[in-house]
Amino acid sequence: MAEDKSILAVFSDLEPAADAIEQLRLLGVHDDCMNVISGIPVTEAMLGRPSQSTNVPRLAMGGAGAGMLLGIFLAFISPNMYTISVGGQPFTPVPPAVVVIFEMTMLGMLLSTFLGVFLDSYFPSYRPMKYVPEISDGKIAILIECTPPDEQKVIDMLKKMGAESVKEAEAQHL
């Protein structure tokens, strides 16, 4: 089996890039084989692509649950471990316990969200990346992985859709 080729097409505007993605789909290129590289934030909906899933919300909820359990431990269980009788006050007063539980819940969610985003973005990446300097000037690039028999059809279609340049991509150290 032949190795897939990486083709990098650079567009000057968002609309021709979105049209090119639609035409690539019609040619049979799957969304997993296309990657949009942009220096500006571009949502999936702007390009008509399916939204990407992430595990960050689940990690945040897990961290919030762990933080809440730690807060409950600190507020209600640890005072019972070392009993100090203070006249007229309950062993575990509720108003301060609510503050401790809330703060530990938020701390757990904050730490797990940070860790989740950090791991989800594969940061830092020390491997070579495919990139062109024109992206820093506001251009939009589409990186397409395709098989050698389909390569010429994809290149012709990208040029027809208004790509400024279409070339084979090579990984470079940034």
Side-chain angles (χ1 to χ4, degrees):
M1 188 167 122
E3 188 176 317
D4 285 352
K5 296 273 188 169
S6 295
I7 300 170
L8 190 66
V10 179
F11 292 89
S12 61
D13 197 18
L14 189 62
E15 190 172 327
D19 294 339
I21 289 173
E22 187 62 35
Q23 290 298 320
L24 285 169
R25 277 197 205 109
L26 293 175
L27 277 178
V29 178
H30 195 269
D31 279 320
D32 293 340
C33 298
M34 292 185 274
N35 189 12
V36 177
I37 306 170
S38 173
I40 57 173
V42 178
T43 63
E44 294 92 357
M46 294 168 87
L47 296 171
R49 300 189 73 196
S51 62
Q52 296 177 342
S53 64
T54 178
N55 289 322
V56 174
R58 285 185 281 268
L59 288 171
M61 290 305 292
M68 181 180 279
L69 291 176
L70 180 62
I72 290 170
F73 173 79
L74 289 175
F76 294 113
I77 297 173
S78 67
N80 291 324
M81 293 169 63
Y82 306 102
T83 55
I84 300 174
S85 294
V86 178
Q89 290 192 1
F91 227 31
T92 53
V94 175
V98 170
V99 172
V100 170
I101 292 170
F102 173 79
E103 291 298 333
M104 296 312 294
T105 301
M106 291 300 113
L107 182 64
M109 186 165 60
L110 177 83
L111 292 175
S112 63
T113 301
F114 175 75
L115 185 65
V117 168
F118 191 74
L119 295 175
D120 200 34
S121 64
Y122 301 108
F123 183 79
S125 176
Y126 297 110
R127 59 189 163 89
M129 305 294 280
K130 295 174 174 95
Y131 183 75
V132 285
E134 290 92 0
I135 292 170
S136 298
D137 298 332
K139 310 259 175 156
I140 297 171
I142 303 173
L143 179 67
I144 304 112
E145 303 284 335
C146 66
T147 58
D150 296 333
E151 178 182 7
Q152 194 57 43
K153 287 191 300 187
V154 169
I155 290 173
D156 292 340
M157 189 278 307
L158 289 169
K159 287 181 180 176
K160 188 176 92 175
M161 294 305 295
E164 288 183 0
S165 70
V166 180
K167 60 184 175 184
E168 188 171 336
E170 45 184 271
Q172 304 171 8
H173 285 285
L174 299 177

